[in-house]
Amino acid sequence: MSIHYDELKKVFHLQSKDTSYVIQLTKQGYPAHLYWGKKVRGLQLDRLLEFKERASFSPSTDMSQLALSLDTLPQEYPTYGSSDFRTPAIQVALPNGSTVSELSYASHTIRSGKPELAGLPSVYTEQDDEAQTLELTLKDELTGLTVVLAYTVFVNFDAITRSATIINNGSSTLQLQRALSMSLDFAHDRFEMLQLSGAWTRERHVHKRKLEPGMQSVESRRGSSSHVQNPFIALLAEGADEDHGDVYGASFVYSGNFVAGVEVDQFHSARLFMGLNPFDFNWRLEAGERFQTPEVVLVHSDQGLGGMSRSFHDLYRSRLTRGQFRDKTRPILVNNWEATYFNFNADKIESIAKVGQELGIELFVLDDGWFGKRDNDKTSLGDWFVDRNKLPNGLEDLVGRVKRLDMQFGLWFEPEMISPESELYREHPDWCLHIEGRRRTQARQQLILDLSRADVREYIVRVISDILSSAPITYVKWDMNRNMTEIGSALLPPERQRETAHRYMLGLYEVLEKITSSFPHILFESCSGGGGRFDPGMLYYMPQTWTSDNTDAVSRLKIQYGTSIVYPVSSMGAHVSAVPNHQVGRVTSLETRGNVALSGNFGYELDLTRFTEEEKETVKEQVALYKEVRHLVQFGDFYRLLSPFEGNETAWMFVAKDKSEAFVVFASVLQEPYPKLDRFRLKGLDPNRDYVLDGGEGAYGGDELMFAGLKVPQFHGDYASRVYRFRAL
């Protein structure tokens, strides 16, 4: 059993592979958080809950137990207004205008498996014996407000998921103003908070800060998870680093507005919380209706950040992503975007594909510009029909040309958008997100379709399905190139306008479910100006994401390193592009561009017809190497060795699950005269096995590689790199 309930002590003990999570019900029925950490047997865990009377400014909830105050009780799902002054998980406006509620235990169930979340992406089980789920029902007796807290604990993963179902069992309409997915209180604040922050072309950089009294949080109000903040935070205990110490990670399975943070109170306890952003959010909950919050995935590791990351990687790779490509190695592709931008025709595309075939590339992807009158980014989004000026014989002819080269064919879409200069907008100007009388703010000369509307969703599913059915297309890049403004819907009544952003996400998930399930043979890759929607919600529908529009190899060291904190390498698109780089103007060698891109779903994004014969030979070697190691890169255990955020050098490696082989990437940014003679240590190998290095002499002991290390390579010139491939004897 993974979930144990002690009826006498009112203690729930949730046990995953190596983790325990413990809840106790107070005599008043408040669920109190006792413990989350390394797995324990749990003989006397109820002794962890301590009551101590504080000043009158932390008022007593029960006059028969003056030491009990909700302001100091470590809680699982705190409410607002009934004596807890800290950040609440839920806030509800009642018909009388008040926003006070109080939830206490009503019942619970423990079941095998993991129920699906209605209309939302979530981690799943394939067999009921993989997990158990605790459903803890809380109720506000005065209003009939009911909250069902769901906790799923996995047998083979160090992960616990949390979500909340909010039900109006009263007779009056309630206004849900705040509906977080989880909250829990630590007994102390001795943590660093790690977040993944950045901007377009600078996504998911690692930032750490020591917790201080008050609020520290990250959030998005952009209508998507965003380039700026990722829906993830981790707490690192004192002394924790990449390989050692307690780390607590929280990841939000959602693609829209979110908030995640920690509040440190006056007594130095830390409240961790995560969920839908309450900013500009309100949900009208009629009598008998229910509201489902998205899911939070919690991972504890006592082996530092690396241990936490590998737990997320294994879970997300095998129990979040779905479909035929979940367990398949991904093809090597070439994308024409940076090669041609909008200026191409069928002959040019075929010429690039022909060289790609000669180099061993397996998939050609036609990017933006093939539809409507799309000669620039000012027009035609929404007009999903082929531009006959560029492709006079249609898409079928071009796909046929590429297929005859024994290559697969992929296509770019931006289905959520509409151009004011388009046939669709002229026919349906009310289909975009807008507020009557207000300016319709454009970004990249485009507006956003209102996916809260059924007619808009039906249109998208129909036109995209028609294109995908018209030719043997095996890959789709699904892009989204702006954030939300004037968030309103022409079909929603005034009292529901603040539901628009979340209804949009529910509509998007419905569209994605229909299209991806109708075309299971197609590999879908999500994109939002690169990594602007790199989140678990999108990975549920599409097993990989374009990591960043920045293809510069040096920039990618930080972007890919930061992304790996949560997301498996099998989810990252990584391409070799031209130099000078189109985003930052940097010139790096083809070798280094290739070595960095090998650490992801590998491809090229440049004009292959411009390669010299020498460059073609280099590319052939890169392609051949990736075909040999991609099973490692995409499905092996990932170890970070040297951080680009802490020095001039970056290194990481991939190790087979059976430790039979490994692939290592080392990169150096700037060179110095007379550099120190140093070593870097490998990780994850079998210390009792010997390994042979491709191109090297003799064997290395696994213990030698991990404890003594390898010589740091000496380079001549900046932006240099090297890869190593080891195989066990």
Side-chain angles (χ1 to χ4, degrees):
M1 295 286 287
S2 300
I3 300 176
H4 310 266
Y5 178 56
D6 187 324
E7 176 69 38
L8 182 63
K9 297 178 180 179
K10 307 297 183 187
V11 170
F12 299 92
H13 187 176
L14 288 65
Q15 292 181 313
S16 67
K17 184 166 67 75
D18 292 309
T19 300
S20 285
Y21 188 106
V22 186
I23 306 162
Q24 183 178 18
L25 300 174
T26 69
K27 72 175 185 177
Q28 298 81 5
Y30 304 125
H33 179 77
L34 297 193
Y35 176 77
W36 176 29
K38 182 73 174 174
K39 190 173 186 177
V40 296
R41 287 179 294 148
L43 299 180
Q44 298 288 346
L45 288 171
D46 57 301
R47 292 185 296 190
L48 294 173
L49 185 58
E50 182 179 3
F51 297 100
K52 187 175 181 62
E53 188 174 354
R54 302 286 186 169
S56 62
F57 292 96
S58 292
S60 301
T61 304
D62 185 342
M63 297 311 295
S64 68
Q65 189 180 3
L66 294 179
L68 174 65
S69 172
L70 293 182
D71 195 38
T72 59
L73 183 71
Q75 296 185 67
E76 284 290 314
Y77 205 73
T79 59
Y80 170 76
S82 55
S83 75
D84 187 349
F85 298 101
R86 296 168 293 178
T87 299
I90 185 171
Q91 187 170 0
V92 179
L94 307 178
N96 64 8
S98 70
T99 54
V100 175
S101 56
E102 187 168 3
L103 296 170
S104 59
Y105 173 83
S107 64
H108 76 272
T109 60
I110 298 173
R111 65 171 71 179
S112 296
K114 182 178 187 294
E116 294 181 356
L117 270 61
L120 288 165
S122 63
V123 175
Y124 60 88
T125 56
E126 292 188 333
Q127 305 292 334
D128 282 349
D129 61 2
E130 294 180 12
Q132 279 192 310
T133 298
L134 166 66
E135 293 180 339
L136 191 57
T137 300
L138 312 178
K139 189 172 182 180
D140 184 332
E141 294 294 343
L142 180 64
T143 63
L145 174 69
T146 301
V147 178
V148 181
L149 302 180
Y151 302 76
T152 295
V153 56
F154 290 83
V155 175
N156 296 318
F157 300 99
D158 275 319
I160 295 170
T161 66
R162 286 194 57 179
S163 64
T165 306
I166 301 164
I167 309 165
N168 183 358
N169 282 325
S171 57
S172 302
T173 300
L174 302 177
Q175 303 290 337
L176 194 57
Q177 298 179 333
R178 185 181 187 92
L180 300 186
S181 297
M182 62 77 58
S183 179
L184 66 86
D185 295 328
F186 291 93
H188 64 87
D189 64 351
R190 298 186 300 275
F191 296 107
E192 281 187 306
M193 186 176 103
L194 183 149
Q195 64 195 65
L196 302 175
S197 305
W200 176 65
T201 68
R202 185 169 39 82
E203 297 91 340
R204 290 171 303 286
H205 281 205
V206 176
H207 296 269
K208 290 191 287 188
R209 49 176 155 159
K210 187 177 183 297
L211 291 187
E212 299 289 350
M215 188 69 71
Q216 35 259 293
S217 65
V218 295
E219 63 178 338
S220 174
R221 298 188 294 269
R222 294 172 169 267
S224 72
S225 50
S226 85
H227 302 83
V228 182
Q229 306 289 357
N230 198 259
F232 164 83
I233 56 175
L235 295 181
L236 284 67
E238 288 181 314
D241 57 20
E242 180 66 27
D243 302 304
H244 309 94
D246 288 317
V247 176
Y248 304 83
S251 174
F252 195 33
V253 187
Y254 189 66
S255 310
N257 294 335
F258 74 92
V259 65
V262 181
E263 181 182 11
V264 176
D265 71 7
Q266 58 189 324
F267 305 113
H268 296 282
S269 66
R271 171 165 289 177
L272 172 67
F273 58 89
M274 180 173 278
L276 295 172
N277 198 331
F279 179 85
D280 200 38
F281 169 83
N282 188 84
W283 194 274
R284 186 177 174 88
L285 202 61
E286 303 287 357
E289 291 185 341
R290 59 181 55 209
F291 180 87
Q292 177 64 59
T293 73
E295 182 171 86
V296 171
V297 179
L298 301 172
V299 167
H300 166 263
S301 166
D302 67 343
Q303 298 176 31
L305 275 170
M308 181 207 70
S309 296
R310 286 184 289 278
S311 290
F312 273 118
H313 295 175
D314 286 345
L315 180 69
Y316 282 178
R317 192 165 46 213
S318 64
R319 291 298 181 268
L320 176 68
T321 57
R322 303 175 298 161
Q324 296 181 10
F325 293 92
R326 185 189 74 177
D327 303 320
K328 287 184 179 179
T329 55
R330 314 288 166 73
I332 302 170
L333 65 81
V334 57
N335 181 299
N336 73 298
W337 178 240
E338 290 191 17
T340 66
Y341 293 103
F342 296 103
N343 184 25
F344 62 84
N345 56 33
D347 290 340
K348 178 61 179 178
I349 296 303
E350 184 179 18
S351 70
I352 296 174
K354 188 174 187 302
V355 177
Q357 184 268 337
E358 294 169 358
L359 300 177
I361 295 171
E362 301 158 315
L363 165 67
F364 180 87
V365 179
L366 179 62
D367 211 282
D368 196 355
W370 57 268
F371 55 92
K373 299 178 181 178
R374 186 76 167 171
D375 295 324
N376 52 53
D377 60 10
K378 299 178 181 179
T379 181
S380 298
L381 289 172
D383 296 344
W384 298 109
F385 50 84
V386 175
D387 182 352
R388 295 282 175 167
N389 291 322
K390 293 178 183 175
L391 306 175
N393 296 316
L395 194 59
E396 300 90 331
D397 170 71
L398 179 61
V399 176
R401 292 203 211 179
V402 173
K403 294 286 285 185
R404 283 191 289 274
L405 295 170
D406 197 27
M407 293 183 73
Q408 301 175 58
F409 186 88
L411 199 59
W412 178 96
F413 290 93
E414 194 171 2
E416 300 165 64
M417 298 294 150
I418 184 170
S419 300
E421 181 54 45
S422 67
E423 293 183 15
L424 183 65
Y425 188 80
R426 284 187 285 272
E427 186 176 350
H428 298 287
D430 61 331
W431 273 17
C432 66
L433 292 176
H434 69 282
I435 297 173
E436 198 61 40
R438 293 288 182 189
R439 176 189 66 236
R440 299 186 180 189
T441 304
Q442 297 182 37
R444 201 175 182 249
Q445 290 82 46
Q446 61 196 52
L447 300 168
I448 304 177
L449 286 169
D450 179 5
L451 269 65
S452 73
R453 298 175 55 136
D455 52 357
V456 172
R457 298 195 299 273
E458 290 165 2
Y459 172 80
I460 292 175
V461 170
R462 176 173 57 81
V463 296
I464 301 303
S465 297
D466 287 347
I467 291 290
L468 296 181
S469 300
S470 70
I473 295 165
T474 59
Y475 168 100
V476 164
K477 181 179 178 182
W478 184 293
D479 211 344
M480 187 264 200
N481 279 305
R482 63 157 296 180
N483 292 146
M484 293 182 184
T485 57
E486 293 84 47
I487 304 174
S489 172
L491 293 189
L492 289 176
E495 64 271 17
R496 290 194 178 273
Q497 286 297 318
R498 292 174 72 188
E499 301 175 7
T500 304
H502 183 56
R503 287 186 179 275
Y504 178 99
M505 292 312 310
L506 295 176
L508 172 62
Y509 292 147
E510 178 187 307
V511 167
L512 295 180
E513 183 68 34
K514 288 181 178 179
I515 292 178
T516 58
S517 60
S518 296
F519 299 92
H521 66 285
I522 292 179
L523 172 59
F524 286 85
E525 179 175 277
S526 67
C527 178
S528 179
R533 210 161 55 184
F534 203 130
D535 58 65
M538 294 304 293
L539 288 180
Y540 181 76
Y541 302 98
M542 304 183 180
Q544 61 190 59
T545 299
W546 180 226
T547 314
S548 176
D549 278 349
N550 187 346
T551 53
D552 169 60
V554 174
S555 299
R556 276 298 188 105
L557 293 173
K558 290 185 175 179
I559 294 169
Q560 292 174 207
Y561 186 100
T563 304
S564 77
I565 297 290
V566 193
Y567 303 102
V569 172
S570 61
S571 67
M572 299 185 214
H575 297 171
V576 175
S577 62
V579 291
N581 176 263
H582 291 194
Q583 289 77 46
V584 300
R586 192 170 1 243
V587 176
T588 54
S589 69
L590 182 56
E591 179 183 27
T592 289
R593 282 175 277 155
N595 288 345
V596 175
L598 287 169
S599 300
N601 295 313
F602 186 56
Y604 293 83
E605 191 156 334
L606 40 67
D607 190 344
L608 300 177
T609 65
R610 298 192 177 195
F611 275 146
T612 65
E613 290 304 313
E614 181 181 1
E615 289 172 328
K616 287 181 180 180
E617 288 304 311
T618 299
V619 170
K620 286 180 181 178
E621 293 173 3
Q622 291 173 344
V623 168
L625 174 60
Y626 190 71
K627 288 178 179 178
E628 292 182 2
V629 302
R630 64 178 155 189
H631 63 285
L632 268 181
V633 170
Q634 296 173 12
F635 302 113
D637 289 330
F638 182 73
Y639 292 85
R640 293 179 292 268
L641 308 179
L642 298 171
S643 171
F645 297 98
E646 297 175 2
N648 186 57
E649 296 158 340
T650 303
W652 50 57
M653 65 184 292
F654 307 86
V655 182
K657 290 290 185 183
D658 64 0
K659 302 186 184 302
S660 62
E661 56 181 325
F663 181 65
V664 184
V665 178
F666 182 99
S668 177
V669 178
L670 300 177
Q671 302 312 311
E672 298 178 355
Y674 301 109
K676 61 182 178 181
L677 302 179
D678 204 352
R679 292 178 175 270
F680 70 104
R681 297 178 179 181
L682 306 190
K683 299 176 185 177
L685 302 174
D686 184 340
N688 298 312
R689 298 175 78 173
D690 294 336
Y691 293 84
V692 174
L693 172 64
D694 280 10
E697 296 181 1
Y700 297 80
D703 51 355
E704 177 186 347
L705 292 170
M706 291 194 294
F707 308 139
L710 285 172
K711 295 177 183 177
V712 169
Q714 302 293 305
F715 299 112
H716 184 73
D718 295 336
Y719 319 133
S721 65
R722 180 179 172 182
V723 297
Y724 306 76
R725 189 179 181 195
F726 291 95
R727 303 180 223 223
L729 291 174

